[in-house]
Amino acid sequence: MNGDVAPVRASGSARPVYSRITGTGGYLPERCVTNDELATRVDTSDTWIATRTGIRQRHVAAAGELASDLAYRASQRALERAGIAAADLGLIIVATTTPDMVFPSTACILQHKLGNRGSPAYDLQAVCSGFVYALAAADSALRTGQCRHALVVGAEVYSRILDWSDRSTCVLFGDGAGAVILSAADAPGILSTHLHADGSYSDILGVPGRIDHGRIEGSPFVHMDGNTVFRFAVKVLAEVAHEALDANALAPTDIDWLIPHQANLRIIEATARKLGIPMERVVVTVDRHANTSAASIPLALDEAVRDGRIRTGQHVMLEGVGGGFTWGSVLIRW
C-alpha cells in the first residue's frame, strides 16, 4: 500500500474520501513490575536491563484480565475523544498476538463488549507490526467508502507467553492496549501506508507452540535471536521510513514526530540516527511500558496526543517491525 493510489470517491459524493485519526485511547494494567522486582525472581538487575534495553518497568495484566478487556478500556477512551458512539463504528480491527482464545476473534468479543452489532470485526496477526498493518487495512476501507468510522486496536497480554525464568526475554515485554478511531474526511490525514514481510526469518522470533489434539506441541513461550532481530529491525525501519518519505516528496527534516515500535531504546536510537532525526522528535515510552508488541505504537501515539506534543498540521511517522518478519510504516498529516 503506498501513496500513489488515488483516493476513491464515495458513492454519491463529489469529493474523494480520505481517512483521519479523530480519537486515541490507551490502557495499561494496574500492576507495574519494576526491574528491581524482576531481579528478585531471575538473575538480572535494573542496571543490566536498563543498559541493554532502556526499560525500567512494565505493566502486567491481572489474573483473568484478557486482551479484549484491555482493548475495551482503550477503545472507550478513543471513542470518547472522537465524540462518537460504538454504534457508529463500521469496522473493528484488533491487532494482537495474544488473543483471548483460538476463536472467536478478540475483535468479535470486543465488539460485543462495546455494544456494537453488525459491523465487520476481525483480528489481524502481524506481531509487533500489527497496528501498522491494521491501520493500513482500515485506511483502505474508509478510502473505498466501506464505512465512515473504524476502530483500530493493538492489544497484548505478553505476560502469558513469557518464560519468567528466561532473563533474555521476560525482561523485555509488557501488557497494554492502544486504540484509534479512523474517520472519513475530505482532506488527507493518513498520507500513505507501506507494508512488507519476509517469512524466511520466521525462526528468528516467535512462539512456536501449537495446540494438537488438546496438547501443546512445541514451546508456548517467546523465543528470540536478539542480535539478528536488532540488526534487521534497524535496517528495515530506516528503509520503510524513507519509502514513506519518498512517496510523499518529503525529507526527514519534515517529520515532526517519529513514533517507532517500542522494543528497545538502542533500536530506536539507532533508527533515529540512520534517519537523521534527533531524539527530541522521537516519542519514547519503552522505558515505562517495555515492549507491548502491537499495542506499543498506539500507546505511544495516545500519550503524545494527550500531552500536547502532536498538534494539527504536523507530520507524524509510525513504523513497526515484528516477528515474521513483518514491517511497515504509516505517514500522517495530523
Side-chain angles (χ1 to χ4, degrees):
M1 298 182 180
N2 53 53
D4 58 9
V5 177
V8 176
R9 297 179 189 274
S11 177
S13 173
R15 296 180 178 179
V17 177
Y18 300 94
S19 71
R20 299 187 68 86
I21 293 175
T22 54
T24 67
Y27 176 74
L28 295 163
E30 182 177 345
R31 185 182 176 203
C32 179
V33 178
T34 65
N35 290 347
D36 288 333
E37 181 178 342
L38 273 185
T40 66
R41 306 188 213 166
V42 66
D43 182 19
T44 191
S45 68
D46 176 65
T47 300
W48 190 91
I49 298 170
T51 299
R52 288 162 176 78
T53 70
I55 297 168
R56 295 286 185 178
Q57 64 181 44
R58 73 284 298 144
H59 290 257
V60 174
E65 193 173 29
L66 303 176
S68 65
D69 298 317
L70 308 187
Y72 175 71
R73 297 286 193 93
S75 299
Q76 282 185 312
R77 292 169 182 176
L79 286 164
E80 180 181 358
R81 192 171 183 92
I84 66 170
D88 298 322
L89 296 172
L91 173 65
I92 298 171
I93 308 176
V94 175
T96 185
T97 314
T98 54
D100 288 11
M101 58 187 74
V102 174
F103 70 85
S105 70
T106 300
C108 282
I109 296 169
L110 172 63
Q111 179 188 45
H112 176 64
K113 289 181 177 181
L114 289 171
N116 176 282
R117 296 185 67 182
S119 68
Y122 63 89
D123 288 358
L124 190 152
Q125 222 297 37
V127 199
C128 302
S129 305
F131 181 78
V132 169
Y133 267 59
L135 201 58
D139 174 58
S140 293
L142 267 73
R143 283 177 180 247
T144 53
Q146 297 176 45
C147 61
R148 295 290 299 172
H149 302 287
L151 170 64
V152 182
V153 187
E156 303 283 15
V157 281
Y158 257 64
S159 58
R160 310 278 162 75
I161 57 173
L162 296 175
D163 178 354
W164 287 95
S165 66
D166 178 9
R167 75 170 184 175
S168 68
T169 56
C170 74
V171 303
L172 302 176
F173 296 93
D175 301 336
V180 302
I181 302 299
L182 202 62
S183 299
D186 294 332
I190 293 183
L191 299 179
S192 63
T193 64
H194 309 267
L195 307 179
H196 301 277
D198 187 342
S200 66
Y201 290 92
S202 60
D203 60 342
I204 302 301
L205 172 60
V207 179
R210 58 192 175 277
I211 297 174
D212 187 349
H213 293 86
R215 299 184 303 272
I216 296 176
E217 297 287 339
S219 172
F221 300 124
V222 173
H223 291 262
M224 178 173 63
D225 178 345
N227 290 332
T228 301
V229 171
F230 184 97
R231 291 192 298 270
F232 187 90
V234 173
K235 174 179 179 292
V236 299
L237 287 174
E239 289 175 352
V240 81
H242 279 297
E243 183 180 351
L245 290 170
D246 292 345
N248 293 278
L250 296 173
T253 52
D254 295 313
I255 299 302
D256 295 287
W257 294 105
L258 175 66
I259 306 182
H261 168 50
Q262 306 287 311
N264 181 308
L265 183 59
R266 291 167 60 202
I267 293 176
I268 294 171
E269 290 174 336
T271 301
R273 282 196 301 271
K274 286 180 77 73
L275 292 172
I277 296 177
M279 286 300 294
E280 291 76 17
R281 289 195 279 130
V282 181
V283 178
V284 177
T285 58
V286 69
D287 55 327
R288 290 161 287 120
H289 298 175
N291 182 348
T292 56
S293 191
S296 81
I297 292 173
L299 276 168
L301 174 64
D302 177 59
E303 181 172 291
V305 169
R306 290 177 181 271
D307 67 19
R309 275 179 285 178
I310 294 178
R311 300 188 301 275
T312 301
Q314 292 183 332
H315 287 113
V316 180
M317 173 83 76
L318 314 180
E319 57 173 358
V321 58
F325 277 123
T326 64
W327 65 99
S329 63
V330 177
L331 185 59
I332 302 169
R333 182 182 297 127
W334 203 259

